[in-house]
Amino acid sequence: MKTLIIFAFCVTTSLCFIKSATGNEIPNFNMDEALSPEDLQKLEELVAKEKDIWEKKKLQDVSSSAIIDEFLDRLLENVKVIIIKNGIDPTSLPDERVNIGIGHTDLTEGQLNDTSTIQRYEDATISYDEGSRQLTAEMVLRFEDLKFIYKYHTKVTIISMTGHLHGDIEHIHIHVKLGFDFNEYKMFVDSIDFKHTGDINITFSGNGAVDWIINAMSKVLTTILHDLILSIVKNIVESPINALVDAINKIFHPTSFIL
Ligand SMILES: *[C@@H]1O[C@H](CO)[C@@H](O)[C@H](O)[C@H]1NC(C)=O
Ligand SMILES: *[C@@H]1O[C@H](CO)[C@@H](O)[C@H](O)[C@H]1NC(C)=O
């Protein structure tokens, strides 16, 4: 996986380490340029070599975790830059009309902040299964503190309230499991799921705030907005990972690539 992470780094940033952790030379790839047949040949040889090394070592030495952590941290540094460059921090949130039982609330001009604070949580691990000839990398990514804001307009019979909704979600942890199959030279996403969905808090400010209406809004909106933000965050993590896996598979299977 050391090598794979290096590929990942190269593919996403067109920057590149020169040597893999096992000392193999890594060609310098740029995602925007097609690889020559010689490059591909070199890459396949490199992976075959790495595979032999992994099989001989039977994995699980302590140092591999530290190395993968370092690569992952560097990769995430680049992901942060990509998030900011693509205008994903802040992210606009969709307008919503929510039935709060006693009336309805319209949410507009929503914004989610701090998605670029993505970090590694705990040590990443790798393991190799000789039977299936698959390498697995597992990591937990976290967003420690995301903030969001919406304008609200609530109508309950003849009462009308407007103001801002301020939200805070702490400790979102996402478990990511990636695999590489040495039979087919294919990388795949095994799973991406929430290990901890985080703790959410919302407060309201504005004119004419009436306690019992605020309570009704709070109850309904907390759940709805928590789900909405989790789906957005999952997408923010999933899209670059899928793109990366596709890019890597394309490198190994340039002609047969369909998906
Ligand atoms: C989100 O970021 C924008 C731009 O940096 C800032 O104006 C806004 O106040 C932030 N909102 C929150 C809820 O932190
Ligand atoms: C929720 O709000 C309270 C009081 O403002 C604060 O102490 C707490 O840290 C917040 N929790 C989260 C998860 O944002």
Side-chain angles (χ1 to χ4, degrees):
M1 199 61 201
K2 289 167 186 171
T3 308
L4 298 179
I5 293 284
I6 300 167
F7 291 163
F9 192 80
C10 301
V11 167
T12 51
T13 64
S14 51
L15 290 173
C16 203
F17 294 116
I18 311 154
K19 286 201 174 189
S20 86
T22 47
N24 287 324
E25 289 275 334
I26 308 281
N28 194 17
F29 299 117
N30 183 332
M31 200 175 181
D32 305 329
E33 289 170 19
L35 293 177
S36 68
E38 293 77 39
D39 286 338
L40 278 171
Q41 177 77 27
K42 257 198 235 165
L43 237 181
E44 299 231 356
E45 282 167 14
L46 182 68
V47 172
K49 228 171 172 183
E50 289 280 326
K51 188 197 72 186
D52 284 349
I53 291 167
W54 286 117
E55 281 178 344
K56 281 194 199 105
K57 276 211 299 197
K58 301 227 193 287
L59 268 270
Q60 305 300 11
D61 57 77
V62 188
S63 63
S64 30
S65 174
I67 289 164
I68 204 172
D69 283 351
E70 195 189 315
F71 283 134
L72 188 56
D73 291 346
R74 299 185 74 159
L75 185 64
L76 288 174
E77 280 308 313
N78 288 280
V79 171
K80 283 179 196 189
V81 173
I82 291 167
I83 285 176
I84 292 167
K85 264 197 194 156
N86 289 334
I88 299 168
D89 185 7
T91 306
S92 355
L93 297 172
D95 291 353
E96 302 277 348
R97 167 163 287 203
V98 183
N99 183 336
I100 57 163
I102 51 173
H104 68 261
T105 297
D106 284 307
L107 299 175
T108 55
E109 293 176 44
Q111 216 176 46
L112 172 67
N113 285 35
D114 304 326
T115 51
S116 61
T117 59
I118 188 167
Q119 277 181 315
R120 172 174 59 83
Y121 182 64
E122 297 172 340
D123 289 338
T125 59
I126 36 175
S127 55
Y128 180 71
D129 182 73
E130 271 176 287
S132 62
R133 310 215 311 161
Q134 286 188 355
L135 198 57
T136 305
E138 287 187 69
M139 60 207 79
V140 178
L141 302 177
R142 68 170 168 184
F143 294 93
E144 258 333 273
D145 191 4
L146 298 179
K147 297 197 189 313
F148 61 96
I149 193 166
Y150 259 120
K151 256 190 187 168
Y152 73 84
H153 179 212
T154 297
K155 265 189 83 81
V156 175
T157 63
I158 55 159
I159 306 170
S160 186
M161 277 165 48
T162 56
H164 282 98
L165 171 165
H166 304 265
D168 201 355
I169 302 192
E170 291 178 351
H171 318 304
I172 293 180
H173 296 172
I174 302 173
H175 180 235
V176 178
K177 198 168 165 188
L178 302 175
F180 191 87
D181 184 336
F182 278 112
N183 298 305
E184 299 177 52
Y185 277 35
K186 206 164 182 247
M187 192 176 183
F188 59 94
V189 179
D190 185 296
S191 59
I192 299 179
D193 42 43
F194 288 102
K195 190 177 175 195
H196 192 294
T197 55
D199 310 308
I200 184 169
N201 229 345
I202 59 178
T203 55
F204 299 89
S205 63
N207 295 322
V210 182
D211 277 354
W212 57 275
I213 296 179
I214 293 283
N215 287 342
M217 284 162 67
S218 213
K219 239 185 214 152
V220 176
L221 293 176
T222 301
T223 312
I224 289 176
L225 294 178
H226 196 174
D227 289 347
L228 172 71
I229 285 164
L230 289 180
S231 67
I232 289 171
V233 163
K234 190 165 185 210
N235 190 259
I236 288 175
V237 170
E238 240 165 18
S239 330
I241 290 177
N242 286 332
L244 187 73
V245 168
D246 286 354
I248 286 171
N249 288 333
K250 216 176 199 165
I251 289 173
F252 288 118
H253 308 281
T255 47
S256 66
F257 193 81
I258 308 160
L259 270 173

